[in-house]
Amino acid sequence: MARFDLQQYGIEVKEVFRNSSVPVLYELGLQQEKGTAISDVGALMVYSGEKTGRSPKDKRTVRHPDSEKNIDWGNINIGLDEHTYMVNRERALDYLNTRPQIYVVDAFAGWDPKYRLKVRIICTRAYHALFMQNMLIMPTDAELEKFGEPDYVIFNGGGFPANRYTSEMTSKTSVDLNLEKKEVVILGTQYAGEMKKGIFSIMNYLMPLEEVLPMHCSANVGDSGDVTILFGLSGTGKTTLSADPKRKLIGDDEHCWTDEGTFNIEGGCYAKAINLSAENEPDIFNAIRFGTVLENVVYDSKTRTVDYTDTSITQNTRASYPIQFINNVQIPCIAGHPENIIFLTCDAFGVLPPVSKLTPEQASYHFISGYTAKVAGTEMGVTEPQATFSACFGAAFMMWHPNKYAELLAKKIKDHKATAWLVNTGWTGGAHGVGSRIKLKYTRAMIDAIHHNEFDKVSFTKDEEFGFQIPESCPGVPSEVLIPKNTWEDKKQYTEVKKKLVSLFNANFEKFKSNVNEAIVKAGPKVS
């Protein structure tokens, strides 16, 4: 193994494993990391420790005159002073220096060479190295030889805690981004997703500076080169609907829209594994094999068979694998301009239509809103749905004010004549508890109709409150399903519930109004 040292960072560890092969990382992980095992299909099963999900309240960005005017400071983008950052950085480096060996991943974020970043991950666990080799775009031997200095470095000292007595620290966990030093420091969490989303946050800051729109979405492409982008929060069907056997997957989570087209930021997928089955999600199920990382799953100690229904460790069980493990995939993960933008929502109130067409301004409004509704728990007899709003369908990773991304989206939709759609995968015939979930086959038929331009041939009706256009017919879908009011027995109740949802949208949008273009504000729903 060629010697590779990290002395430029003050890391003196002699044994450095850089871009190691999968078998080497398996061997080291199995030897040295507690709870690591091989599944019956060859995946590496790992345990992330105490933290089994991201820690958004512990994420900090260093305030600096060069960037602070661009950042939307608040509960999501929390500031940090340079001195505290250096204390945490030193703590991470001290920890890295106590390790017998270090892992380095040198790879790319972004499939488009014009925009891609060279990223260096420095970590202490074989599992973290394999995870990032799956999630980034790995260089060829020739590219690695010419890799040179990285654009950004992640120091993952997550096996060691932050000092809670350090100013501005709120817990033993701290994920700190320094845009000027081009570094991320991780302390007190070994959840691998922090590295992935750290890079996404960087791209969310850098890309708008070049008039490129970074997006928390999935994307696929048809045989004729027509690209569709699907936005949606957890539980809306984004992963399921983007894995379409008739179309090639560009990526499942993070993309950019440039003047040339669309590209995936990542080299792999990080899929939820809860209740995974070969019947419901064959693409993901079949991608789990040698080279895949299975995070925090429960398995049979004798057979090493995974029980995907067991969430005793966490609800957030995950599988990380290179995108090539999916059969029908676009490699390289680059395509043209999107023809269709689909916002997925799971409306448990049952009042949004299963499919509707949006103007560019309405698209910006729904993009900023990022709405879905979760079914409430049964505690204390509460069965009413709960509205969830996440700006740009990924508020936790947006560095600028949501309006920055919304205006970029509106401009690109207009410039490239894309059509925006709102697709409700939630309830019909009444709210949760009365109605039923819209059939997946109907949703697939509507998305097929979008792809085949079937809605160009039908008449539309305008929704009085939301203002969007609802198609009156769709191949393979009973026409009464398309107009929500027609599916409710109690029409008066429908009107009341809809009025409530409109008021929830308006209340949520209040905090954005002062910074948002007037045309976008006016595109919101109104109580008739």
Side-chain angles (χ1 to χ4, degrees):
M1 186 176 65
R3 280 296 306 278
F4 181 80
D5 70 61
L6 299 165
Q7 289 187 346
Q8 60 181 313
Y9 308 112
I11 299 170
E12 304 292 339
V13 180
K14 296 284 184 280
E15 195 169 19
V16 178
F17 292 89
R18 183 191 188 210
N19 289 23
S20 301
S21 70
V22 174
V24 166
L25 293 174
Y26 264 54
E27 285 168 13
L28 290 162
L30 290 163
Q31 286 164 17
Q32 293 161 6
E33 296 173 21
K34 196 179 167 190
T36 302
I38 299 177
S39 82
D40 62 339
V41 294
L44 190 69
M45 298 184 289
V46 299
Y47 180 49
S48 69
E50 189 186 336
K51 293 288 176 92
T52 57
R54 286 183 302 102
S55 302
K57 289 183 169 59
D58 297 308
K59 193 180 131 212
R60 303 280 184 277
T61 302
V62 175
R63 286 186 179 273
H64 190 280
D66 290 353
S67 58
E68 69 178 334
K69 65 184 183 298
N70 297 333
I71 293 170
D72 185 30
W73 300 105
N75 295 335
I76 289 162
N77 296 305
I78 304 165
L80 186 71
D81 66 87
E82 181 81 28
H83 175 76
T84 305
Y85 172 80
M86 292 307 290
V87 169
N88 286 346
R89 184 182 190 272
E90 190 80 350
R91 198 169 170 88
L93 293 178
D94 287 347
Y95 173 68
L96 291 166
N97 271 319
T98 67
R99 301 297 90 195
Q101 75 269 318
I102 292 284
Y103 300 94
V104 170
V105 178
D106 280 347
F108 303 113
W111 281 86
D112 187 334
K114 187 176 170 184
Y115 298 102
R116 73 183 182 187
L117 291 182
K118 293 190 290 182
V119 180
R120 172 165 293 162
I121 313 292
I122 301 172
C123 55
T124 65
R125 293 188 65 176
Y127 136 51
H128 286 160
L130 180 55
F131 175 89
M132 289 311 289
Q133 288 183 191
N134 285 347
M135 298 314 300
L136 290 168
I137 301 148
M138 296 306 290
T140 62
D141 289 346
E143 285 173 330
L144 188 60
E145 213 171 293
K146 297 182 194 156
F147 195 79
E149 287 304 304
D151 298 313
Y152 272 80
V153 181
I154 294 181
F155 298 103
N156 188 343
F160 197 63
N163 184 335
R164 285 180 296 171
Y165 294 101
T166 305
S167 69
E168 301 190 64
M169 292 299 100
T170 46
S171 77
K172 292 188 289 184
T173 300
S174 193
V175 180
D176 305 333
L177 167 57
N178 191 322
L179 291 163
E180 280 65 37
K181 284 183 79 72
K182 300 188 172 182
E183 293 175 349
V184 176
V185 167
I186 298 172
L187 290 169
T189 173
Q190 295 182 71
Y191 178 65
E194 294 287 11
M195 296 180 286
K196 165 187 152 73
K197 289 305 186 189
I199 292 166
F200 189 42
S201 295
I202 292 162
M203 292 294 274
N204 271 308
Y205 179 76
L206 295 177
M207 290 296 103
L209 293 168
E210 301 190 55
E211 294 299 302
V212 171
L213 174 65
M215 304 175 291
H216 189 219
C217 67
S218 58
N220 60 30
V221 58
D223 290 339
S224 62
D226 58 303
V227 174
T228 291
I229 278 172
L230 298 104
F231 290 95
L233 299 174
S234 183
T236 58
K238 182 174 64 138
T239 304
T240 305
L241 293 165
S242 63
D244 184 332
K246 301 181 284 298
R247 298 171 68 80
K248 285 184 175 173
L249 183 71
I250 302 167
D252 78 331
D253 197 45
E254 301 174 5
H255 295 82
C256 289
W257 188 352
T258 70
D259 287 340
E260 290 82 41
T262 317
F263 71 84
N264 187 355
I265 292 172
E266 301 185 293
C269 302
Y270 191 34
K272 284 195 170 120
I274 185 171
N275 297 325
L276 185 63
S277 70
E279 297 74 42
N280 291 340
E281 289 173 291
D283 284 340
I284 296 169
F285 191 86
N286 294 328
I288 295 170
R289 54 183 192 257
F290 182 75
T292 297
V293 174
L294 278 177
E295 206 172 39
N296 299 320
V297 295
V298 178
Y299 57 90
D300 185 296
S301 59
K302 288 182 186 165
T303 64
R304 298 294 197 267
T305 305
V306 177
D307 180 357
Y308 292 110
T309 65
D310 191 327
T311 55
S312 54
I313 297 173
T314 177
Q315 294 264 330
N316 191 35
T317 51
R318 294 273 184 168
S320 155
Y321 46 85
I323 198 161
Q324 292 90 332
F325 282 17
I326 296 280
N327 285 333
N328 200 19
V329 68
Q330 172 98 341
I331 301 286
C333 303
I334 304 176
H337 293 291
E339 286 188 18
N340 291 294
I341 316 289
I342 296 174
F343 300 117
L344 296 168
T345 183
C346 174
D347 176 31
F349 292 96
V351 295
L352 288 182
V355 61
S356 51
K357 191 176 178 181
L358 309 176
T359 65
E361 290 74 25
Q362 287 168 347
S364 295
Y365 179 90
H366 285 276
F367 182 58
I368 291 174
S369 298
Y371 164 73
T372 193
K374 293 180 179 172
V375 178
T378 51
E379 280 176 61
M380 306 290 291
V382 176
T383 53
E384 195 170 285
Q386 293 174 336
T388 302
F389 295 93
S390 180
C392 309
F393 294 91
F397 323 112
M398 302 299 147
M399 303 286 286
W400 299 72
H401 187 278
N403 191 50
K404 180 80 170 175
Y405 306 102
E407 289 195 334
L408 268 171
L409 179 73
K411 183 176 188 305
K412 290 190 180 294
I413 286 174
K414 282 177 177 166
D415 288 352
H416 304 291
K417 299 179 173 56
T419 308
W421 306 85
L422 184 66
V423 170
N424 174 21
T425 61
W427 268 254
T428 182
H432 175 259
V434 178
S436 58
R437 190 96 192 244
I438 293 165
K439 289 178 180 173
L440 181 59
K441 71 173 182 180
Y442 291 164
T443 303
R444 287 197 188 281
M446 289 177 240
I447 288 176
D448 283 347
I450 289 170
H451 288 147
H452 297 135
N453 302 316
E454 297 282 356
F455 292 133
D456 291 354
K457 309 164 192 164
V458 308
S459 54
F460 286 79
T461 183
K462 185 179 177 181
D463 185 278
E464 283 181 29
E465 287 77 21
F466 281 90
F468 41 52
Q469 299 287 330
I470 306 169
E472 293 179 344
S473 63
C474 174
V477 182
S479 55
E480 64 271 14
V481 172
L482 297 169
I483 311 294
K485 192 171 186 176
N486 295 348
T487 69
W488 283 57
E489 272 187 40
D490 188 336
K491 304 290 193 262
K492 190 179 173 197
Q493 181 71 10
Y494 165 83
T495 304
E496 289 304 311
V497 173
K498 190 175 188 184
K499 200 180 285 183
K500 180 180 178 180
L501 184 60
V502 168
S503 67
L504 290 169
F505 264 92
N506 290 338
N508 171 70
F509 212 80
E510 277 299 315
K511 59 181 174 284
F512 303 115
K513 274 172 87 167
S514 59
N515 291 302
V516 169
N517 182 303
E518 185 63 23
I520 294 172
V521 176
K522 284 184 175 165
K526 295 156 190 70
V527 178
S528 61

